[in-house]
Amino acid sequence: MSAVATEEAGDATRALILALLALACGHMLSTLLRTIPAVSLDLMAADFHMEPQALASLTSVYPFAFAAAQIPVGAAMDRFGVRPVSLSLLGGTVIGAIASGFATGPASFAVGQVLLGVATSGMLMCPMTLAAKQLSAARFGLWSGAILSIGNIGMLLSSSPLAFVVDAWGWRAGFFISALAGVAVALAVFALVPHQAAEHKDESSPLSQMIEVLRLGLSRPLRGLIALALVSLATSLVLRGLWGGPWLMEIKGLSRVEAGNQLGAFTLAMIAGPLCIGMIDRKIGRRRALVAGTHMAGALLVALMALGAPHYAVSVLFGLPVMPPQYDLVLFVLIGLATSAQPLLFGMSRQLVDAQTAGKALAAVNLAFFLGAALMQSVTGAVAALAGLPAVLLFMAAMLAVGVLIFLAYTSPSP
């Protein structure tokens, strides 16, 4: 009897792992779609007859739509279950990718980006919600890191492989291939994710839930975490998903594929980083210092990258017209590792509130991550138009440093 029970338990575990992997592939698709402009912004801008900086600001409608849909999509998962919500979102992702690929100008491209932002908004929450329902706290911690790492593989696909696709078939091919991938992921979710009854935990309206999440996020205990969350993910996503490619191609003179290779190394660091930071956190047990130290190091590294531009301090110091691309490669890898402490903010938020409000605290941090990315993407487009790409990197470094200082001020231990 025990052997039968053990075998059944093993089958259930395998089924859960396959379901989580299928859902995590949706998050991977989300990160791929979000970062397509990094290696194709110049070609897209030329097709739409607009400046790259203006198109960069326009692409911020994606993360704004993504952030706005977080709470309603979370409420839908409570009411209808993970499987139907995930399938609906994947259908919307396919439609949004096709719409973006067929865009003929700024307006039609913006429509496609809004569709993608809404449709991919739950791609991380779907596997996280299923894992939270099915796993113990210890195993959930392991799987949350794994889901984030699997998702970041999407950014690996949007580096050298996407650069090759764009050079061979144009930027639209990236969106059409993503649409086909969305169909494949939807079929995997349909086959592997189990039917589960809706829980109806919270019957309040999405608007009232949003107000409650915002109220909690602005409360004194979470204020420091929210301030850092607003600039933390924004720095790595906007650098990797938007400005990294133009920086390497325009300032450092690399080809599209060469730039893709460097962004691929950046992404590998972002995949390995959360696992490394998690191990360091468990070993030293000083989470606040680790979060602040790594993010401040990230701010310094981004500033050093900016100062390697022609006629800036680091280039002048070394007596070079511009720092070589290898300098940027090392900095990209270090930035990817340094900014990987973001998941620890989720853990800190759970420690700072009671059990009844833990879910809303996580939602507040998650909302801050993606709202910050939207704001950073929008503002840096204006900065690039006014002052150029080195100023964009210096602005991001400054915002990250300010976020760390506010984090330290509001999370200081009570006397």
Side-chain angles (χ1 to χ4, degrees), residues 49-305:
H49 306 293
M50 60 190 302
E51 290 296 317
Q53 294 88 345
L55 181 59
S57 292
L58 179 64
T59 60
S60 66
V61 299
Y62 184 126
F64 273 119
F66 191 107
Q70 291 287 312
I71 306 301
V73 168
M77 265 187 279
D78 275 344
R79 297 186 183 191
F80 305 112
V82 170
R83 188 174 189 267
V85 171
S86 177
L87 289 171
S88 300
L89 294 175
L90 284 164
T93 300
V94 172
I95 293 169
I98 292 172
S100 296
F102 278 118
T104 56
S108 54
F109 184 70
V111 170
Q113 291 292 287
V114 169
L115 287 171
L116 283 175
V118 173
T120 59
S121 63
M123 294 303 187
L124 176 58
M125 284 193 287
C126 284
M128 288 291 195
T129 300
L130 183 64
K133 289 178 179 177
Q134 300 288 325
L135 299 173
S136 65
R139 293 183 69 199
F140 173 72
L142 172 67
W143 269 98
S144 62
I147 290 165
L148 288 167
S149 292
I150 292 169
N152 283 341
I153 294 173
M155 288 190 280
L156 192 62
L157 296 174
S158 69
S159 55
S160 302
L162 179 66
F164 175 80
V165 167
V166 170
D167 271 346
W169 297 294
W171 65 266
R172 297 177 191 274
F175 286 106
F176 294 141
I177 291 171
S178 298
L180 290 174
V183 173
V185 175
L187 291 172
V189 169
F190 184 82
L192 298 172
V193 176
H195 294 275
Q196 287 182 320
E199 297 185 5
H200 300 284
K201 282 186 177 177
D202 190 345
E203 295 294 336
S204 60
S205 70
L207 178 60
S208 63
Q209 292 178 43
M210 176 74 82
I211 292 170
E212 183 58 32
V213 167
L214 292 175
R215 185 183 295 122
L216 183 62
L218 293 172
S219 66
R220 180 74 169 73
L222 291 187
R223 214 169 286 165
L225 274 66
I226 296 299
L228 185 54
L230 282 168
V231 293
S232 171
L233 188 65
T235 301
S236 53
L237 278 188
V238 173
L239 181 59
R240 170 60 189 85
L242 185 62
W243 295 116
W247 172 264
L248 292 170
M249 289 187 283
E250 294 175 20
I251 305 297
K252 297 307 173 85
L254 297 187
S255 69
R256 195 176 311 280
V257 172
E258 288 170 338
N261 290 338
Q262 289 218 13
L263 295 177
F266 184 17
T267 307
L268 285 173
M270 292 172 69
I271 292 171
L275 302 175
C276 296
I277 294 288
M279 288 188 287
I280 295 170
D281 176 53
R282 284 194 296 273
K283 181 160 287 191
I284 68 173
R286 300 185 62 183
R287 184 167 288 179
R288 176 176 176 267
L290 181 60
V291 168
T294 52
H295 280 89
M296 190 59 83
L300 177 62
L301 293 164
V302 174
L304 287 173
M305 182 176 287

